Amino acid sequence: MKPTLFVLAAGMGSRYGGLKQLDGLGPHGETIMDYSIYDAIHAGFGKVVFVIRKDFEDDFRSKILSKYEGHIPVEVVFQSVNDLPEGFVCPPERVKPWGTNHALLMGKNVINEPFAIINSDDYYGRNSFEVMAAELSNLPEGSTGHYSMVGFKVGNTMSESGTVSRGVCETVDGNLTGVVERTAIGYDENHDIVFTDENGTVQHLDFDTPVSMNFWGFTPDYFAHSEAFFVEFLKENLNKPKAEFFIPTLVNELVLKGQAECRVLTTESKWFGVTYSADRPGVVEKFAQLHATGVYPDKMF
């Protein structure tokens, strides 16, 4: 069975200033998602599921989904702050979504096969989809607890417009042992990659240090773990307006308890995206070059 691609497209880009998911950045108005879907199809994914907010469904269907007809089966699910387990009611002051792992839970009724999950506003590069598709396609039928993530080289994920936050991966024999979130990763005066740790000390990162860009691979049992862990999360965080249920939090928990393993897949792909509005011209130029050099055809869909 071919794996499914699950695309997180429910968030607003506050630092960017708009709906990055619908921004036409390619030569013919292609969105970043268009490139991800094109690469996923060619890598061997068999279906795409999008999680979006209900309030921009019409725009999403007309501007995005219509172009994929005849290329790959597509389904849409919706994320709402009110979609909580029985016994919990969303506090009225809660506006912010519950996080990436809550968004992932929205796919539990439509995904029954190994699947990968990505952000809608990140360009991951073709090789990253190839290594993930190969990993998921080669899992024995009925596999559980066999997870994976694409480990990008941090030097291939930087922004020239400002600092970035990255999940720095700790590994043993190619398996993930932990993800440490590092904020404000940037360049120093020597163009070395640095961040300031919790003690206020400036630390350097090697170019090849693997980081998570939220490109994960899961077997379907991950949904049951997510449901159980979300209940525990809500018991502690229901009334904290900014608390979020993140994918790395649960993956770390399952790995530490020995309930799952997570393979870190290496890739030479270079990430780019529109973290800041100042990133946009550079992204437009990169896509133009990728078309000009034949990486992508003039018209993808």
Side-chain angles (χ1 to χ4, degrees):
M1 182 179 292
K2 291 184 176 181
T4 286
L5 182 67
F6 194 9
V7 183
L8 299 176
M12 286 284 288
S14 57
R15 286 180 293 179
Y16 181 67
L19 284 175
K20 290 184 283 186
Q21 300 93 329
L22 303 183
D23 194 3
L25 300 167
H28 299 289
E30 295 90 349
T31 67
I32 289 180
M33 284 188 294
D34 289 337
Y35 294 94
S36 293
I37 304 309
Y38 183 88
D39 286 342
I41 291 170
H42 285 77
F45 284 85
K47 181 175 73 174
V48 180
V49 176
F50 292 95
V51 56
I52 66 172
R53 294 197 322 273
K54 186 70 175 177
D55 60 295
F56 71 95
E57 179 184 7
D58 290 343
D59 267 356
F60 194 83
R61 288 190 182 278
S62 64
K63 295 180 179 179
I64 303 296
L65 297 193
S66 59
K67 70 184 73 175
Y68 304 139
E69 290 181 3
H71 295 282
I72 191 169
V74 173
E75 295 193 53
V76 176
V77 295
F78 303 100
Q79 183 184 22
S80 166
V81 294
N82 295 307
D83 197 335
L84 299 178
E86 186 176 353
F88 295 94
V89 177
C90 183
E93 65 273 15
R94 180 80 190 195
V95 176
K96 192 176 183 67
W98 293 102
T100 53
N101 216 107
H102 178 254
L104 179 148
L105 267 173
M106 302 304 101
K108 65 182 179 181
N109 294 324
V110 299
I111 299 175
N112 301 297
E113 57 282 324
F115 67 98
I117 187 163
I118 63 169
N119 294 332
S120 61
D121 52 5
D122 289 311
Y123 175 79
Y124 292 101
R126 181 165 302 169
N127 179 247
S128 65
F129 287 94
E130 291 170 344
V131 297
M132 180 58 80
E135 175 73 13
L136 297 177
S137 298
N138 289 328
L139 290 174
E141 187 173 350
S143 294
T144 61
H146 291 282
Y147 308 154
S148 52
M149 60 155 283
V150 179
F152 288 80
K153 296 178 179 180
V154 67
N156 284 335
T157 74
M158 302 295 290
S159 170
E160 295 292 343
S161 302
T163 60
V164 297
S165 297
R166 298 287 180 255
V168 178
C169 302
E170 299 171 346
T171 64
V172 173
D173 297 329
N175 286 321
L176 188 72
T177 58
V179 179
V180 180
E181 191 67 21
R182 296 298 185 186
T183 59
I185 299 174
Y187 295 110
D188 65 9
E189 62 276 8
N190 298 316
H191 211 67
D192 291 333
I193 301 171
V194 297
F195 69 93
T196 302
D197 67 17
E198 53 274 11
N199 299 315
T201 303
V202 174
Q203 303 283 358
H204 286 71
L205 288 173
D206 291 335
F207 184 99
D208 292 343
T209 301
V211 296
S212 168
M213 297 303 299
N214 215 36
F215 193 162
W216 300 89
F218 296 112
T219 42
D221 58 287
Y222 187 78
F223 289 117
H225 290 301
S226 297
E227 287 183 300
F229 197 78
F230 191 39
V231 170
E232 299 306 311
F233 169 88
L234 290 172
K235 288 177 181 178
E236 295 185 13
N237 298 285
L238 181 65
N239 294 306
K240 298 176 183 177
K242 295 185 178 181
E244 293 186 67
F245 180 35
F246 291 121
I247 291 171
T249 306
L250 178 53
V251 173
N252 274 342
E253 179 84 2
L254 295 174
V255 168
L256 287 173
K257 288 182 175 179
Q259 294 179 270
E261 63 178 15
C262 185
R263 194 74 183 161
V264 177
L265 311 176
T266 59
T267 182
E268 294 300 321
S269 287
K270 294 182 179 180
W271 169 95
F272 58 81
V274 280
T275 306
Y276 303 90
S277 56
D279 291 328
R280 190 181 190 280
V283 170
V284 170
E285 182 179 351
K286 287 184 175 74
F287 281 133
Q289 291 174 347
L290 287 169
H291 283 273
T293 56
V295 175
Y296 297 104
D298 183 51
K299 297 282 283 189
M300 295 192 298
F301 296 104

